[in-house]
Amino acid sequence: MKKNIHPDYRPVVYRDAEAGLAFLTRSTARTERSIEWEDGNTYPLVDVQISSASHPFYTGKARVLDSAGQVEKFRRRYSATS
């Protein structure tokens, strides 16, 4: 790899405030905030609005659209009667 062209890849804490979830991973994300983690070290902090802990698909709160019912409603309304 060429030197001095790649972003700094370091440990970063991502926090989903709505779900109360925080996890430590590695990232190139830049931030001015920091947090003291469970191991006693201080890491950069990135706040996210949604994560797997709060996303409707992963939490089971996703709405299922009744597309089949809408199609039948359309056919009843606009079908040609012979």
Side-chain angles (χ1 to χ4, degrees):
M1 289 194 316
K2 291 184 181 179
K3 295 182 186 242
N4 302 324
I5 65 167
H6 299 285
D8 186 26
Y9 187 64
R10 65 196 191 289
V12 175
V13 174
Y14 281 89
R15 178 175 63 187
D16 181 350
E18 182 179 326
L21 173 75
F23 55 93
L24 179 64
T25 186
R26 295 183 58 83
S27 177
T28 60
R30 297 187 183 274
T31 181
E32 298 296 322
R33 303 179 70 190
S34 62
I35 188 172
E36 185 173 333
W37 190 242
E38 300 161 352
D39 61 3
N41 294 325
T42 301
Y43 298 103
L45 172 67
V46 177
D47 284 319
V48 294
Q49 294 180 0
I50 195 160
S51 70
S52 60
S54 62
H55 193 280
F57 179 78
Y58 296 109
T59 60
K61 296 178 182 175
R63 292 183 357 191
V64 177
L65 297 177
D66 183 20
S67 60
Q70 294 295 323
V71 171
E72 292 304 317
K73 183 178 176 181
F74 177 83
R75 287 183 180 162
R76 282 194 307 270
R77 182 179 293 167
Y78 297 107
S79 67
T81 55
S82 307

